[in-house]
């Protein structure tokens, strides 16, 4: 079944993120100046101002920091209910994402890449059994 949600619109800043997803990897910007992960993507590091921010793959493992189940959406195409979460990565970043399955705070999760028809793989998270 096609997902009726609107597809992402990659731009120059986010294209490497989506290219990595097509290879089955979660890749985030790493600042060459201070070494921190920058996410969401930025043209300059919010910590040191550096502008050299290459994308590198991360483990794809994480722990649910917090989550919510959305029952009422204001966006067209988003069928409810669905779950969103902030995920803490062992690399030291916190990412936001869609969750497949039930989770709780502290739950171990792993990224996976369901394919959106007409777009391609989109990172999502699911519990680690
Ligand atoms: Zn930096």
């Amino acid at each position: 079944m096609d997902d009726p949600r609107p597809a992402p619109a990659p731009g120059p800043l986010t294209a490497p993120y989506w290219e990595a997803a097509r290879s089955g990897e979660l890749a985030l910007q790493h600042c060459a100046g201070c070494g921190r992960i920058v996410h969401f993507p930025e043209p300059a590091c919010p910590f040191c101002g550096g502008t050299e921010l290459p994308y590198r793959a991360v483990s794809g493992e994480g722990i649910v920091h917090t989550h919510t189940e959305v029952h009422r959406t204001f966006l067209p195409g988003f069928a409810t209910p669905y779950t969103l979460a902030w995920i803490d990565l062992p690399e030291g970043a916190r990412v936001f994402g869609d969750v497949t399955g039930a989770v709780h705070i502290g739950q171990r999760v792993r990224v996976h890449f369901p394919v959106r028809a007409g777009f391609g793989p989109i990172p999502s998270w699911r519990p680690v059994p």
Side-chain angles (χ1 to χ4, degrees):
M1 181 173 96
D2 288 352
D3 190 330
R5 295 182 188 190
L13 191 60
T14 60
Y17 176 87
W18 298 111
E19 288 169 19
R22 282 192 286 278
S23 301
E25 289 185 325
L26 181 66
L28 303 177
Q29 288 181 309
H30 286 70
C31 179
C34 70
R36 296 181 76 165
I37 293 176
V38 176
H39 187 74
F40 298 104
E42 295 285 351
C45 175
F47 307 107
C48 76
T51 56
E52 192 177 336
L53 296 161
Y55 280 81
R56 292 201 316 251
V58 293
S59 66
E61 301 279 349
I63 301 288
V64 173
H65 175 78
T66 191
H67 64 93
T68 188
E69 188 172 342
V70 179
H71 290 271
R72 183 177 177 196
T73 182
F74 301 96
L75 301 170
F78 283 74
T80 57
Y82 60 91
T83 301
L84 301 172
W86 284 102
I87 311 289
D88 290 331
L89 306 184
E91 292 85 355
R94 181 171 290 161
V95 300
F96 184 76
D98 193 55
V99 175
T100 305
V103 292
H104 56 83
I105 292 172
Q107 171 89 47
R108 289 181 58 225
V109 289
R110 172 178 274 284
V111 72
H112 69 122
F113 298 91
V115 174
R116 171 93 36 96
F119 179 77
I122 295 181
S124 180
W125 298 86
R126 62 182 168 199
V128 174

